[in-house]
Amino acid sequence: MRKARKNTATRQIIHIVGEGLTELFYFSHLKKVLGYRYSISPRLFENNSIEKIEKKIKELLDEDVFVYITEDQMLAFFLLVPPIGNGKTLSGSKILQILIDHGVSYGLDFHFIYTLPERENRYFRFYLGASGTMPEDGRDGYIVELYQRELYSSLEQTELSHVDYAQLSLSKKIQKNGVICEIVPPTAGRSGITVKRNLLLPPPRDGRPAAIPMGRNTCLSEDGRYLIAQKDGNVAYAGNSFQVKPILEIRHGIEPGDQQDIKFLGDIHIHGDVCPGVSIRATGSVQIDGVAQDCTIEAGESVIVLDGIQGQYSTTIRAHKSVYAGYLEHCTVYARESVQANC
């Protein structure tokens, strides 16, 4: 005889997994109302009231911000998502706080962030909210020279191809404590910083100080920013440095009866003519604003005679650099560099 089978009810269990709030809300209440047997994961709504659920849904309908930081952390972008329905918009301070909560604390564009909520069509666009700084080496110090190194750099010619040698005037005069050049100090290197305020390696190099062209009769100012003259004289550049040479100025020409033998450790500037029989020697340059007659001139640098030289076959001019004259007549001229005259 055949045994009768026991009728057993089959129980079916449904397991729902998801993240959608609408689905979770629907299935959790459907389970209670109709008595369906299934489980829901995650258990977001268990032990929550309808008021709490509605509040949570409203929060998710507010305007939102998505933040993206580049891999090297040098740029931080953000994108605004518009609110849905009656969702709230975000203020500039709230957007800023969200960026800070993502670790962005350096290079923030505060003005742009605060004014962004006032703009139209601001949604679904990436904006640059912060940017880091790359490391930057310091700038080397340098010298601003207020006097030319070369006194005779160029000469302009007239229409008759004549040169006005007054351009070569010893005009590089300076008084005591006068400024010869300005010394610009170096700057420190600037470290690189990411938007998350991390320092970048390697550290930057600081600028190197400039070589100060300090020569004889010059010194630094108290603050070290200027090279100044220690005495009155002429500024000259020699041996990679500025120096102040003493100058002897004869306000009138040398006439018969005046001192006939002139020697000076520096420059000599004669504001007039030189009479015959005079001997002039200087370790620097010699400038004569008038005519040099039968005389002897020797200079450690250059000789400048604006009008010209009237020799009587016994005049001798020697210069360790150059000789410039309006004209040369019946004289012997020696120069290591050049001899220039209009005629």
Side-chain angles (χ1 to χ4, degrees):
M1 183 177 180
R2 198 173 193 183
K3 290 185 179 181
R5 270 189 175 181
K6 187 177 180 181
N7 188 13
T8 58
T10 302
R11 187 175 68 170
Q12 188 174 9
I13 299 176
I14 302 174
H15 189 82
I16 299 174
V17 180
E19 296 180 355
L21 291 177
T22 303
E23 289 80 1
L24 290 173
F25 181 84
Y26 174 76
F27 281 108
S28 63
H29 287 79
L30 190 64
K31 177 181 178 182
K32 293 180 181 180
V33 173
L34 299 180
Y36 289 156
R37 303 180 65 181
Y38 50 77
S39 63
I40 302 173
S41 295
R43 301 176 182 272
L44 179 64
F45 294 102
E46 290 189 356
N47 301 320
N48 284 336
S49 64
I50 296 297
E51 290 77 13
K52 290 183 180 180
I53 295 171
E54 290 178 347
K55 181 179 178 181
K56 184 65 178 178
I57 293 175
K58 287 181 179 180
E59 289 178 357
L60 296 173
L61 296 180
D62 291 343
E63 183 178 4
D64 202 0
V65 180
F66 290 90
V67 179
Y68 172 74
I69 301 175
T70 57
E71 185 176 357
D72 59 2
Q73 299 184 5
M74 294 303 293
L75 300 173
F77 298 92
F78 66 94
L79 178 143
L80 297 180
V81 179
I84 299 176
N86 295 325
K88 299 178 181 179
T89 58
L90 297 176
S91 63
S93 59
K94 183 60 178 178
I95 296 173
L96 177 63
Q97 186 60 50
I98 293 174
L99 287 168
I100 294 175
D101 291 342
H102 280 77
V104 180
S105 60
Y106 178 82
L108 288 159
D109 190 345
F110 292 99
H111 177 73
F112 175 77
I113 294 172
Y114 279 120
T115 58
L116 182 59
E118 303 173 2
R119 302 188 182 188
E120 298 181 357
N121 302 322
R122 62 184 178 273
Y123 298 111
F124 301 113
R125 297 181 180 180
F126 274 104
Y127 298 104
L128 179 62
S131 57
T133 56
M134 296 299 294
E136 182 179 342
D137 290 339
R139 185 180 60 185
D140 293 340
Y142 59 94
I143 304 296
V144 179
E145 299 176 358
L146 304 182
Y147 286 83
Q148 294 181 355
R149 295 188 178 188
E150 296 293 333
L151 181 61
Y152 320 120
S153 56
S154 61
L155 296 173
E156 297 182 0
Q157 295 184 348
T158 64
E159 296 180 356
L160 299 177
S161 298
H162 288 179
V163 175
D164 182 8
Y165 291 107
Q167 302 174 63
L168 301 176
S169 174
L170 296 175
S171 58
K172 298 172 67 175
K173 297 181 177 66
I174 192 171
Q175 294 181 343
K176 183 179 180 180
N177 295 327
V179 177
I180 299 172
C181 57
E182 179 183 359
I183 302 167
V184 180
T187 60
R190 186 182 66 181
S191 299
I193 307 176
T194 69
V195 295
K196 290 191 173 184
R197 208 171 284 275
N198 295 322
L199 293 178
L200 296 177
L201 296 177
R205 177 187 65 83
D206 292 336
R208 292 182 291 266
I212 302 176
M214 182 168 58
R216 184 162 50 94
N217 296 325
T218 65
C219 64
L220 292 178
S221 59
E222 292 183 359
D223 57 5
R225 292 294 305 272
Y226 302 97
L227 182 67
I228 60 177
Q230 288 184 312
K231 61 189 301 183
D232 297 345
N234 270 346
V235 178
Y237 186 85
N240 297 323
S241 64
F242 283 100
Q243 55 182 294
V244 177
K245 299 185 299 181
I247 181 171
L248 172 63
E249 294 201 61
I250 301 176
R251 295 297 177 181
H252 53 80
I254 301 177
E255 300 177 354
D258 293 339
Q259 181 180 354
Q260 300 296 303
D261 188 9
I262 300 174
K263 298 178 181 178
F264 190 70
L265 296 176
D267 295 335
I268 297 177
H269 189 179
I270 301 173
H271 300 265
D273 299 331
V274 175
C275 66
V278 176
S279 174
I280 301 173
R281 290 179 175 83
T283 57
S285 296
V286 175
Q287 176 175 328
I288 300 172
D289 290 346
V291 176
Q293 301 182 33
D294 187 18
C295 61
T296 300
I297 302 174
E298 183 173 352
E301 294 184 7
S302 296
V303 174
I304 306 168
V305 185
L306 299 187
D307 287 347
I309 300 175
Q310 292 181 349
Q312 298 180 6
Y313 300 102
S314 60
T315 298
T316 302
I317 310 295
R318 290 185 174 89
H320 284 247
K321 287 188 175 180
S322 299
V323 174
Y324 304 91
Y327 59 88
L328 297 172
E329 291 184 357
H330 310 301
C331 59
T332 303
V333 178
Y334 301 92
R336 288 190 175 183
E337 293 182 0
S338 65
V339 176
Q340 299 185 38
N342 289 328
C343 59

